[in-house]
Amino acid sequence: MKAVSIKIRKIYRNSSISQKLFLAFSVMIAIPAIVVSFLFIRVQESQLYKEAMSAGNSHVSRMSEQLRSRMGILENASSTALTQKSFIDFIHSNMLGDGLRLVKFRQNQFEQMHNIIQSNEMISELSFYVDNPNVHEIWPEIYHYDKFWPQQYWTRLRDEGGSSYQLFAFKDGEHTLSYYRLVRLQGQGGKRPTIMEIRSEHRVFFEGMLEETGGDFFSVVMDGRDPGRFVYNPQHKFSLQAGDELDDILGGIHRQLDVLQSQEPIKVYVGDHAYYALYRYIAPLNAYVVDIASHQDLMKGPRNWYFLVVAVTLLVLLLMLLLVSHTTRRIFRRMDRVLISMRKVRRGQLDAKIDLGLAAGDTGDEIDEMAISYNNMLDEIKQLMTQVVDKQLIAKNAQLHSLHSQINSHFLYNALESIRMLAEVRREPAIADALVSLGSLMRYSMMWRNDTVALSEELANIQSYVGFINFMEGGSIALLSDIPNELTRYAIPKMCMQPIVENAVHHGAPRGGSLTIEISARVENDSMLVIRIRDEGDGVDPDILAGLQAVLEGESDTPIVASKNGLGLENVHKRLQLHYGRGSGLRIDSEQGAYTCVTITLPWANANLGGW
């Protein structure tokens, strides 16, 4: 029996995918149609519910944003009105004292305020309530504070930051929204502060927000203070269908509203109907934007026609799809191993081969053939990558050795030639001192026990070089350094600073003249070591400087010629970029007749810099 089972599995494994699919389609699984239909309807209802709730959430969010935007319009209008300082000052003065002054106020300040009101279609009325016995109430924009109710409302405005909204205004509140703002005036004594009221009719303020949209949701704005006050479109089909039950529906929803805005919809039952409500709390208005939908309306689609579709089609199609799904799942389970291997290779794991599990002589199906080709491809990629890396390492090492030899031979040649010429001219014993300095320079240059040295060692070598040059050329070259003690212990590439100082000596001042060279170092952003070598010499010709900068920034293929041998700056820059990447290297700035500054940028780590 076991041998038969192994034989069957082997035949199935070596069959083509088309044969396996044909076998799957040839087998029928008897599942009771009523169970499949019921499950399908339940899934559809759940999906429809989720889609409806998602659409409702999006709609109520848009309504919330629209409402906040329109509230912002009222607030901007109030701020604009309060910028009319002459108007504010006049209504707090004796308006009864001078008729000519009143006429001028009507023609100027009042007209400007009136234009602000007329320019905003959302504002139906703007009024100021002033505790001023001399106020003249001849326009609907200016009233004595006694006309305002409630009298002590200004204390609430004070506690709420100076402004507040009322979904239903104190005056004609059934159809009007009001925005109240406290006008704080100095030096009023015991008088009550002035209150500004901006009124907007509900039909204008909520225009387009509560209209019939053809969707399943009924939009309502509910007062957070009074559970019996709502703003909605009475002609909406939902309100017409609900009839006398509408107040019960809205009241039941209002009792469950919470300023913390639960993400789950509110569900209420009125009679034998269930209703869902999604809402957003509008804090400045102390109101809720609510979208309401009937469960029966949401689910009427599946109950009307889904059952017929399921009863006719699922008996044939769903059973076949289940069989195909089961079969393809078994087939593509092996393909998943290919995908897993590909993901590993994408992360750099090139040895992530696919375990085929085939016995010797088995050919397998199309998936096995693909896996075999994939494994062979990985072997070829590894081989090619190894060859490329080896070639790059060989080329890089060759470049480095070439650059080392160029710099060393260049320096030694110039130094020995200078000593020889001085010895022939002067024939003095003092030249021995120069030889001591030269010996130090030669030992430092020739002894490459390591590719890096401490920053203090490089600086000491430069000091020996400057002393030697002062002796040889009779000049007065001063070397100043501003390097923190903690940086002097860190390793930097050897001979990366000396060629730059040499260029400064040869080009910064005339032979035998004076020159000051300043060397400073710091760490920037905990990632880069920046060393600056600056001299206050003759500077660089602008044309030559432009060529140098272009080459250092990779904008030109013209060789750098910045010293007598034409190798110093170019070699240092190339060496740094070869080892540390494009972010490292040299940068040169200069102003002719003023200064020259060369900046060395190296990668920084808390341990040491890498070698050449």
Side-chain angles (χ1 to χ4, degrees):
M1 189 65 183
K2 184 177 180 181
V4 174
S5 176
I6 294 174
K7 183 68 174 179
I8 292 174
R9 287 200 298 270
K10 185 174 182 180
I11 294 174
Y12 178 81
R13 178 68 181 273
N14 293 331
S15 300
S16 66
I17 293 179
S18 60
Q19 292 172 333
K20 294 170 184 176
L21 290 175
F22 176 80
L23 178 63
F25 277 104
S26 301
V27 178
M28 298 297 294
I29 302 176
I31 300 176
I34 189 171
V35 175
V36 174
S37 300
F38 177 76
L39 292 176
F40 182 78
I41 291 175
R42 295 288 294 179
V43 170
Q44 292 301 314
E45 288 182 346
S46 175
Q47 183 64 25
L48 185 60
Y49 169 80
K50 292 179 180 178
E51 292 176 355
M53 293 301 106
S54 177
N57 269 314
S58 298
H59 182 255
V60 77
S61 295
R62 288 195 299 273
M63 285 184 58
S64 173
E65 292 302 322
Q66 290 176 358
L67 186 56
R68 293 179 186 275
S69 176
R70 296 182 184 187
M71 292 166 63
I73 294 175
L74 296 185
E75 293 174 8
N76 290 337
S78 72
S79 298
T80 303
L82 291 180
T83 59
Q84 307 300 314
K85 188 176 183 301
S86 57
F87 178 93
I88 302 299
D89 292 340
F90 186 83
I91 65 176
H92 290 86
S93 65
N94 185 3
M95 294 177 62
L96 306 177
D98 188 346
L100 179 59
R101 183 167 168 260
L102 186 63
V103 171
K104 291 183 178 179
F105 168 75
R106 171 64 181 84
Q107 294 175 346
N108 296 302
Q109 290 87 356
F110 177 82
E111 188 64 26
Q112 292 175 2
M113 183 66 69
H114 190 69
N115 289 336
I116 293 174
I117 302 172
Q118 294 297 321
S119 65
N120 195 320
E121 297 179 355
M122 194 176 296
I123 299 176
S124 60
E125 188 176 348
L126 186 149
S127 300
F128 288 87
Y129 298 89
V130 189
D131 190 1
N132 180 9
N134 297 316
V135 72
H136 209 355
E137 296 180 333
I138 59 176
W139 300 291
E141 286 80 8
I142 305 172
Y143 294 96
H144 192 274
Y145 193 88
D146 293 340
K147 298 295 192 302
F148 183 79
W149 181 88
Q151 291 283 296
Q152 296 303 316
Y153 186 66
W154 69 270
T155 59
R156 176 178 168 182
L157 290 177
R158 179 195 60 195
D159 296 339
E160 294 185 3
S163 63
S164 179
Y165 285 90
Q166 286 288 330
L167 181 60
F168 295 91
F170 295 125
K171 179 181 178 182
D172 296 333
E174 291 299 322
H175 307 289
T176 308
L177 176 146
S178 285
Y179 173 63
Y180 300 95
R181 185 160 179 172
L182 195 63
V183 181
R184 299 185 182 274
L185 300 174
Q186 300 297 329
Q188 285 190 328
K191 293 182 180 181
R192 290 164 294 192
T194 299
I195 292 179
M196 178 177 64
E197 177 186 20
I198 298 179
R199 299 161 60 80
S200 178
E201 295 182 4
H202 285 168
R203 65 177 181 81
V204 177
F205 189 82
F206 295 104
E207 182 180 6
M209 295 177 58
L210 307 176
E211 302 300 323
E212 180 78 54
T213 60
D216 297 313
F217 285 90
F218 171 55
S219 300
V220 184
V221 180
M222 298 186 174
D223 193 340
R225 302 180 181 90
D226 189 346
R229 308 186 81 175
F230 316 98
V231 180
Y232 61 88
N233 178 16
Q235 302 303 318
H236 195 284
K237 66 177 182 179
F238 183 93
S239 63
L240 296 176
Q241 292 174 357
D244 296 337
E245 293 182 344
L246 182 59
D247 289 341
D248 295 334
I249 296 172
L250 298 180
I253 292 173
H254 193 282
R255 285 191 292 271
Q256 298 187 50
L257 294 176
D258 189 350
V259 296
L260 298 180
Q261 298 182 186
S262 172
Q263 296 298 319
E264 296 298 324
I266 294 173
K267 189 173 184 180
V268 297
Y269 294 91
V270 177
D272 58 348
H273 289 78
Y275 300 91
Y276 300 105
L278 300 164
Y279 67 95
R280 295 289 185 276
Y281 177 64
I282 310 299
L285 191 59
N286 194 9
Y288 298 87
V289 178
V290 186
D291 268 4
I292 307 171
S294 167
H295 176 79
Q296 285 74 9
D297 290 340
L298 292 178
M299 297 297 118
K300 65 182 178 182
R303 294 184 179 182
N304 289 340
W305 58 271
Y306 272 115
F307 179 76
L308 181 61
V309 174
V310 170
V312 174
T313 60
L314 286 187
L315 287 175
V316 178
L317 297 178
L318 287 182
L319 292 178
M320 300 297 290
L321 289 175
L322 288 173
L323 290 174
V324 173
S325 175
H326 175 73
T327 305
T328 54
R329 195 162 49 244
R330 291 182 59 85
I331 293 174
F332 290 109
R333 188 178 301 157
R334 291 160 53 209
M335 294 188 66
D336 286 340
R337 293 201 293 266
V338 178
L339 294 176
I340 293 172
S341 176
M342 289 180 177
R343 294 189 188 101
K344 292 180 179 178
V345 171
R346 191 164 56 231
R347 294 194 297 266
Q349 189 176 343
L350 295 180
D351 58 347
K353 291 187 177 181
I354 303 170
D355 184 13
L356 301 176
L358 291 175
D362 290 344
T363 58
D365 56 16
E366 291 86 347
I367 297 178
D368 292 322
E369 184 178 355
M370 177 183 67
I372 292 172
S373 299
Y374 179 80
N375 288 342
N376 292 337
M377 180 187 69
L378 287 181
D379 291 334
E380 293 177 2
I381 290 175
K382 290 175 64 176
Q383 183 178 2
L384 291 173
M385 288 184 66
T386 301
Q387 293 175 356
V388 170
V389 170
D390 290 341
K391 290 179 181 179
Q392 290 177 341
L393 289 176
I394 292 172
K396 194 170 184 178
N397 287 332
Q399 284 182 289
L400 295 177
H401 287 299
S402 174
L403 294 172
H404 276 157
S405 61
Q406 289 177 5
I407 289 180
N408 291 335
S409 60
H410 150 68
F411 178 79
L412 292 176
Y413 175 81
N414 284 346
L416 292 175
E417 181 67 15
S418 298
I419 294 176
R420 184 186 64 80
M421 293 177 61
L422 185 62
E424 290 179 356
V425 172
R426 295 190 178 182
R427 300 182 181 276
E428 297 178 357
I431 296 179
D433 295 335
L435 291 176
V436 173
S437 297
L438 178 61
S440 299
L441 294 175
M442 293 179 62
R443 283 193 299 274
Y444 185 81
S445 176
M446 298 296 292
M447 295 178 62
W448 287 81
R449 294 189 304 269
N450 198 345
D451 290 327
T452 60
V453 295
L455 181 56
S456 58
E457 295 181 66
E458 183 80 0
L459 187 61
N461 179 65
I462 292 173
Q463 290 172 339
S464 297
Y465 171 78
V466 170
F468 175 73
I469 292 299
N470 282 333
F471 175 80
M472 293 294 299
E473 298 184 0
S476 178
I477 300 174
L479 181 64
L480 305 178
S481 63
D482 180 15
I483 301 176
N485 291 332
E486 60 270 16
L487 296 186
T488 60
R489 297 189 301 270
Y490 285 96
I492 64 170
K494 187 175 181 179
M495 295 290 289
C496 68
M497 295 169 57
Q498 192 272 343
I500 300 171
V501 174
E502 180 181 353
N503 284 329
V505 169
H506 285 293
H507 299 283
R511 185 178 184 87
S514 62
L515 179 69
T516 299
I517 300 175
E518 299 177 359
I519 301 178
S520 62
R522 70 174 186 274
V523 178
E524 293 185 353
N525 301 323
D526 291 330
S527 62
M528 303 301 293
L529 175 65
V530 178
I531 303 173
R532 288 187 173 86
I533 302 175
R534 177 187 174 101
D535 67 81
E536 298 176 354
D538 294 337
V540 182
D541 180 83
D543 294 336
I544 298 176
L545 178 64
L548 291 172
Q549 292 173 337
V551 174
L552 292 178
E553 295 173 3
E555 299 176 358
S556 172
D557 294 329
T558 304
I560 299 176
V561 180
S563 61
K564 294 179 179 179
N565 49 35
L567 294 174
L569 291 179
E570 179 184 22
N571 283 345
V572 172
H573 183 67
K574 284 184 177 180
R575 289 166 68 191
L576 294 177
Q577 289 205 334
L578 276 173
H579 283 275
Y580 306 122
R582 299 287 296 177
S584 302
L586 304 184
R587 187 178 74 251
I588 182 170
D589 298 295
S590 181
E591 181 178 341
Q592 194 166 18
Y595 74 93
T596 299
C597 181
V598 178
T599 302
I600 304 174
T601 303
L602 299 170
W604 174 258
N606 288 330
N608 291 325
L609 290 168
W612 285 109

